[in-house]
Amino acid sequence: MRDTFAATVNRAMDTDPRLTVVLAAISTGMFRGAAARHPGRVIDMGIREQAMIGVAGGLALTGMRPVVHSYAPFLVERPFEQLKLDLGHQGVGAVLVSIGGSYDAAEEGRTHQAPGDVALLDTLPGWTVYAPGHPDEVRAALEAALPGEDRVYVRLSGTSNRAAMPLDGRLSVVRTGSPRSAGVVVAVGPMLDRVLEATADLDVTVAYTATVRPFDREGLSALVGAAGNADVLVVEPYLSGTSAHEVAAALADRRHRHLGLGVARDREVRAYGTPAQHAQAHGLDTEGVAKSARAFFLV
């Protein structure tokens, strides 16, 4: 995904003179060619993430389209005040592209983990958020975002699904349950393959989205109506329950049950380990998702 991001932005810079990449000592080598071709349009701020967002806001005020990139905690958490003020309050846009995600950089320790990034951005209005599950979806998200003026967050992952899915803002049905199915499972981004495996023996409808915000509330409402059972399981690659308010809004006209699976809110995994070990610790590996899904639907 990271390679696709760099290649897509590098190509786009050759045709769109507004695009300016703003970095903070991360992935600088991936834009060395673009810096040579377009002097002044690749800016490395060094390890100054707050200034990185401030510079992006200033560039946007002059009509440029900043593409800002770093690890998720350095892109969203550390400069959150600047996101709120220098972009949101000033009414200007940028494309933020993160790596690391929840625990992709587990070997770097807690400093490089940000499972709460999407939930944090959810406190600010006007953000479009993508969590691609395949490199082709990264390309599609960027091609949609780069020509615009709005505020966009693209959350890259070190895990990919086997195949790309449409990135049209709507929930895509991957597996359809029977008219008497147990409910609906929504898999977000890189969680799809393990969700399909984990729910293979359950009579549920499985839907997919990489467009996290705006959330397809109408689509979820229609799927739940067709399923005949208003039980919804959302499996997200970040903080558990991040989309609970979206499910509640989508199903406000009916009684429903909802379970959000994601990175645990009630504990911190302090061991370094690998991404796979962290997924297992949070119940986000295939076995963990299967256990939670069975407990939720088979009651």
Side-chain angles (χ1 to χ4, degrees):
M1 291 193 189
R2 190 179 191 176
D3 290 340
T4 300
F5 150 64
T8 303
V9 173
N10 271 285
R11 285 195 303 270
M13 291 183 72
D14 293 337
T15 58
D16 187 345
R18 300 183 312 144
L19 292 181
T20 302
V21 175
V22 188
L23 306 170
I26 299 296
S27 301
T28 54
M30 304 181 89
F31 295 96
R32 193 167 289 124
R37 296 193 308 274
H38 308 291
R41 288 173 53 202
V42 176
I43 304 170
D44 181 9
M45 299 298 300
I47 308 175
R48 300 177 181 88
E49 287 84 2
Q50 290 96 334
M52 177 176 67
I53 300 300
V55 166
L59 287 166
L61 284 170
T62 70
M64 302 299 285
R65 183 61 163 162
V67 179
V68 194
H69 169 65
S70 187
Y71 280 86
F74 311 145
L75 189 62
V76 176
E77 293 179 330
R78 182 173 295 172
F80 180 72
E81 182 181 13
Q82 284 69 39
L83 295 177
K84 180 178 72 173
L85 299 177
D86 297 353
L87 294 178
H89 187 62
Q90 293 191 129
V92 294
V95 181
L96 275 58
V97 183
S98 74
I99 53 174
S102 296
Y103 40 70
D104 282 351
E107 71 281 359
E108 302 290 344
R110 184 65 168 136
T111 57
H112 285 59
Q113 299 172 24
D117 53 348
V118 176
L120 193 56
L121 282 178
D122 240 358
T123 67
L124 302 177
W127 282 87
T128 297
V129 179
Y130 296 108
H134 188 276
D136 288 351
E137 295 170 22
V138 174
R139 185 180 301 108
L142 290 169
E143 289 175 350
L146 294 177
E149 303 282 350
D150 54 344
R151 293 179 290 282
V152 180
Y153 180 48
V154 183
R155 189 185 204 263
L156 306 186
S157 174
T159 302
S160 294
N161 299 316
R162 287 183 290 272
M165 296 290 293
L167 193 108
D168 56 10
R170 296 190 292 270
L171 290 175
S172 299
V173 177
V174 184
R175 180 191 297 151
T176 303
S178 74
R180 299 173 62 86
S181 69
V184 175
V185 182
V186 177
V188 175
M191 305 304 299
L192 177 60
D193 281 358
R194 70 189 72 174
V195 165
L196 288 171
E197 184 178 350
T199 61
D201 61 345
L202 296 177
D203 182 12
V204 293
T205 291
V206 177
Y208 173 77
T209 188
T211 305
V212 178
R213 301 291 182 271
F215 187 83
D216 184 12
R217 296 178 182 179
E218 291 184 4
L220 180 60
S221 179
L223 287 177
V224 167
N229 194 324
D231 289 352
V232 177
L233 169 64
V234 179
V235 186
E236 301 173 294
Y238 32 77
L239 199 64
S240 65
T242 294
S243 293
H245 67 99
E246 294 289 348
V247 175
L251 305 180
D253 61 339
R254 73 200 78 181
R255 294 181 182 274
H256 64 277
R257 296 170 64 241
H258 165 246
L259 174 65
L261 293 185
V263 178
R265 289 174 175 264
D266 59 353
R267 67 183 186 279
E268 177 182 316
V269 177
R270 296 188 172 224
Y272 283 69
T274 65
Q277 289 172 324
H278 279 253
Q280 183 180 38
H282 291 287
L284 289 178
D285 60 340
T286 300
E287 183 179 349
V289 173
K291 181 179 179 180
S292 294
R294 286 194 296 267
F296 179 63
F297 288 115
L298 302 181
V299 294

